């Protein structure tokens, strides 16, 4: 493949399309395949060659792909800009024209537009395939490249202070949604030939974009579409692991912790045992959810997946040690913020209050607990700016959330707790 000629390459494309060999065709159009490094295929103007061997719209799709390999290989901003102007001439384009200034500022942004053209050309062909889905692997390859190049374009545009944050990724999402609609609306084909087999892959690509640009509300229609699909349990294990991971993360941010635990636990259990990096990434979100539900991770697990940042947090919550919790959150603040879980971990403070106050109850061995005892406990944890009113507020929240069974007697300044199970297990009330 490293020394194949353009005619040989196009012949392989032609035969793959003619024989409906979707997987091989996908390889020939993917930037993960070694052909992209072949100088013989890096042509500035491949249109004539493509038109000689391929029918529309495949000629446009392959020409766009080859122009993209040329731009990547030569780092030529002028040529890349010229290619971008060709892209916006196609009537099926769903993205808007960038300004001349923006187009010259980033090579990667032009790669994105070339891949975008390739996807658009493919979509025209894909829509024409009635009651067949052999081209799904091609869609997977071109859609994946689109998202990756959009992400690279986004980074370079931001370095140049050009364009709006998330602009490239949003445009990529629009194109991917066009593919998703084609797949979701395929109601005529039988199960085996249905384009609906592409829905979960596209959902996962869109999830990655929506999480990147912090527009999680856009995930809801995708989740509804997958949940209502009769194929939802039949997608590949890898796709389901990714899907459950993102749906679990969204549930976590929506404070739906039990569904979040279910989805993230599924992803962790079914993630391939050799994918340590992915398992670690899942745990970063599963651990806070588990802790909020009262299940503390053991030291061995944290050490195995290099997540010792959670060690002191776990210890602090279990012991009701507010001082240690605040220190741990401060110490690893950068890591927790980068992962997007700092505010979730802040919610562990209410669990830590619960465990601290349970110690007060166990020490005093009575169901009528003076509020001053809780005030003393908080001040021992160096919570200095607290008074009896704030103690009552914390206790009221704990009672409302079901973490304490009892009531506050304002007349006697006491917390009166139930004689039976006054501090219910976290898993039963969360």
């Amino acid at each position: 493949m490293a020394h194949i000629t353009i005619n040989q390459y196009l012949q392989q494309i032609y035969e793959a399309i003619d024989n409906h060999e979707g997987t091989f065709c996908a390889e020939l159009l993917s930037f993960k395949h070694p052909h992209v490094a072949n100088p013989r295929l890096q042509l500035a103007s491949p249109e004539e060659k493509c038109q000689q061997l391929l029918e529309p719209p495949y000629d446009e799709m392959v020409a766009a792909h080859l122009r993209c390999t040329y731009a990547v290989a030569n780092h030529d901003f002028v040529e890349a800009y010229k290619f971008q102007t060709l892209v916006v001439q196609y009537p099926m384009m769903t993205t808007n024209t960038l300004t001349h200034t923006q187009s010259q500022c980033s090579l990667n942004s032009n790669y994105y537009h070339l891949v975008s053209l390739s996807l658009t050309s493919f979509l025209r062909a894909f829509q024409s395939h009635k009651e067949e889905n052999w081209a799904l692997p091609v869609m997977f390859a071109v859609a994946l490249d689109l998202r990756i190049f959009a992400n690279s374009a986004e980074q370079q545009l931001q370095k140049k202070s050009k364009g709006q944050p998330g602009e490239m990724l949003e445009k990529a999402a629009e194109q991917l949604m066009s593919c998703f609609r084609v797949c979701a609306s395929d109601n005529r084909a039988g199960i085996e030939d249905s384009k609906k087999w592409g829905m979960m892959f596209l959902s996962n690509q869109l999830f990655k974009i929506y999480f990147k640009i912090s527009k999680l509300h856009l995930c809801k229609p995708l989740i509804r579409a997958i949940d209502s699909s009769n194929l939802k349990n039949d997608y590949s294990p890898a796709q389901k692991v990714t899907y459950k991971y993102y749906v679990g993360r969204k549930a976590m941010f929506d404070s739906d912790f039990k569904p979040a635990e279910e989805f993230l636990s599924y992803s962790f259990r079914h993630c391939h045992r050799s994918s340590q990096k992915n398992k670690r990434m899942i745990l970063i979100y599963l651990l806070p959810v588990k802790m909020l539900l009262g299940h503390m991770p053991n030291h061995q697990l944290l050490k195995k997946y290099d997540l010792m940042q959670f060690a002191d947090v776990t210890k602090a919550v279990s012991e009701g040690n507010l001082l240690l919790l605040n220190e741990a959150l401060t110490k690893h603040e950068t890591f927790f913020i980068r992962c997007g879980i700092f505010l979730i971990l802040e919610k562990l403070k209410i669990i830590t209050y619960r465990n601290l106050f349970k110690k007060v109850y166990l020490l005093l061995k009575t169901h009528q607990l003076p509020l001053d005892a809780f005030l003393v406990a908080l001040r021992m944890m160096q919570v200095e700016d607290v008074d009896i009113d704030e103690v009552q507020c914390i206790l009221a929240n704990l009672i409302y959330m079901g973490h304490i069974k009892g009531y506050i007697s304002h007349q006697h300044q006491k917390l009166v707790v139930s004689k039976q199970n006054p501090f219910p297990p976290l898993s039963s009330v969360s």
Side-chain angles (χ1 to χ4, degrees):
M1 186 61 75
H3 303 291
I4 195 173
T5 66
I6 181 64
N7 285 336
Q8 290 172 321
Y9 171 75
L10 292 175
Q11 184 63 32
Q12 288 185 352
I13 290 275
Y14 173 82
E15 291 176 0
I17 294 171
D18 193 50
N19 297 326
H20 292 185
E21 296 176 359
T23 302
F24 184 49
C25 189
E27 291 178 0
L28 295 173
L29 293 169
S30 170
F31 270 81
K32 290 186 175 181
H33 195 264
H35 77 271
V36 297
N38 182 354
R40 295 184 179 187
L41 303 184
Q42 296 161 359
L43 302 179
S45 301
E47 290 81 7
E48 185 176 348
K49 286 279 188 183
C50 292
Q51 289 168 2
Q52 289 172 0
L53 280 172
L54 302 173
E55 295 292 329
Y58 296 110
D59 57 340
E60 297 170 1
M61 179 173 66
V62 177
H65 176 72
L66 294 175
R67 289 201 302 271
C68 198
T69 63
Y70 178 85
V72 172
N74 288 277
H75 287 240
D76 190 330
F77 287 91
V78 177
E79 286 298 292
Y81 170 68
K82 183 179 74 173
F83 299 151
Q84 186 235 327
T85 61
L86 292 175
V87 172
V88 297
Q89 291 173 9
Y90 285 92
M92 288 291 288
M93 287 300 296
T94 59
T95 55
N96 297 323
T97 308
L98 285 179
T99 65
H100 178 90
T101 304
Q102 288 177 335
S103 300
Q104 287 181 317
C105 76
S106 168
L107 183 59
N108 268 334
S109 66
N110 290 295
Y111 300 163
Y112 156 71
H113 282 290
L114 293 172
V115 178
S116 177
L117 171 60
S118 183
L119 180 61
T120 303
S121 300
F122 164 77
L123 192 55
R124 271 180 274 176
F126 194 49
Q127 287 174 306
S128 70
H129 297 165
K130 303 300 182 183
E131 299 183 24
E132 57 185 34
N133 65 0
W134 67 267
L136 277 177
V138 181
M139 183 192 72
F140 295 162
V142 180
L144 177 62
D145 285 338
L146 176 70
R147 181 184 62 79
I148 292 172
F149 279 116
N151 193 50
S152 299
E154 183 73 30
Q155 292 174 9
Q156 290 212 353
L157 282 171
Q158 292 308 304
K159 285 180 182 178
K160 296 284 186 178
S161 300
K162 302 291 184 180
Q164 297 297 317
E167 184 176 8
M168 289 288 105
L169 288 166
E170 286 190 38
K171 289 179 177 179
E174 290 174 11
Q175 298 248 23
L176 293 176
M177 272 305 299
S178 297
C179 291
F180 184 85
R181 292 188 190 100
V182 171
C183 292
S185 62
D186 184 17
N187 295 317
R188 295 195 302 174
I191 292 296
E192 292 298 320
D193 298 319
S194 176
K195 295 182 178 69
K196 288 186 176 182
W197 287 107
M199 288 172 62
M200 185 169 283
F201 174 87
L202 291 168
S203 293
N204 291 339
Q205 298 303 310
L206 285 163
F207 285 159
K208 291 177 183 181
I209 292 177
Y210 294 151
F211 273 80
K212 188 84 173 178
I213 62 178
S214 300
K215 292 193 174 181
L216 304 192
H217 65 283
L218 296 176
C219 298
K220 288 183 179 180
L222 300 173
I223 296 171
R224 282 199 300 267
I226 296 294
D227 284 347
S228 62
S229 171
N230 56 351
L231 300 177
K232 63 181 178 181
N233 296 320
D234 299 321
Y235 291 101
S236 72
Q239 288 186 19
K240 287 193 287 187
V241 165
T242 303
Y243 177 79
K244 299 276 189 180
Y245 166 71
Y246 282 105
V247 174
R249 282 183 63 186
K250 185 183 183 302
M252 180 190 75
F253 289 125
D254 291 340
S255 296
D256 295 331
F257 297 121
K258 285 190 175 179
E261 180 190 29
E262 178 187 343
F263 293 130
L264 291 169
S265 295
Y266 177 96
S267 289
F268 185 75
R269 286 195 310 271
H270 292 86
C271 186
H272 198 279
R273 65 178 63 182
S274 65
S275 302
Q276 289 290 99
K277 183 180 177 182
N278 288 343
K279 279 182 167 286
R280 181 180 186 271
M281 191 159 50
I282 296 168
L283 278 177
I284 286 173
Y285 302 98
L286 179 57
L287 290 178
V289 170
K290 286 276 194 182
M291 292 165 73
L292 283 164
L293 294 174
H295 308 297
M296 301 299 156
N298 59 52
H299 190 272
Q300 184 180 359
L301 180 73
L302 299 179
K303 191 172 183 180
K304 178 179 178 180
Y305 290 99
D306 190 25
L307 288 171
M308 295 305 292
Q309 297 92 333
F310 289 94
D312 284 342
V313 175
T314 302
K315 186 172 186 290
V317 175
S318 299
E319 295 177 355
N321 192 333
L322 279 167
L323 179 59
L324 180 59
L325 178 62
N326 289 329
E327 289 175 352
L329 292 178
T330 301
K331 181 179 179 181
H332 302 293
E333 182 178 14
T334 302
F335 172 77
F336 294 142
I337 290 175
R338 187 171 68 248
C339 295
I341 57 172
F342 184 80
L343 294 179
I344 299 295
L345 292 174
E346 283 270 306
K347 293 185 178 184
L348 288 171
K349 285 187 177 178
I350 196 70
I351 309 298
T352 312
Y353 282 127
R354 179 257 189 202
N355 291 343
L356 175 63
F357 291 170
K358 184 179 180 180
K359 283 188 171 183
V360 173
Y361 162 75
L362 292 173
L363 282 170
L364 296 180
K365 297 179 181 179
T366 176
H367 68 282
Q368 295 185 5
L369 306 164
L371 299 183
D372 284 338
F374 300 112
L375 184 60
V376 171
L378 289 173
R379 286 178 176 166
M380 285 179 63
M381 293 296 154
Q382 297 184 16
V383 183
E384 301 294 344
D385 56 341
V386 65
D387 56 24
I388 205 69
D389 290 334
E390 189 164 349
V391 169
Q392 291 188 44
C393 183
I394 295 170
L395 287 169
N397 277 327
L398 288 168
I399 293 169
Y400 173 77
M401 296 172 72
H403 294 313
I404 296 177
K405 291 166 65 175
Y407 64 91
I408 299 172
S409 172
H410 296 283
Q411 181 180 358
H412 299 99
Q413 290 290 286
K414 287 186 178 181
L415 171 69
V416 182
V417 297
S418 171
K419 292 183 179 180
Q420 293 184 343
N421 201 18
F423 291 83
L426 292 170
S427 57
S428 68
V429 297
S430 298

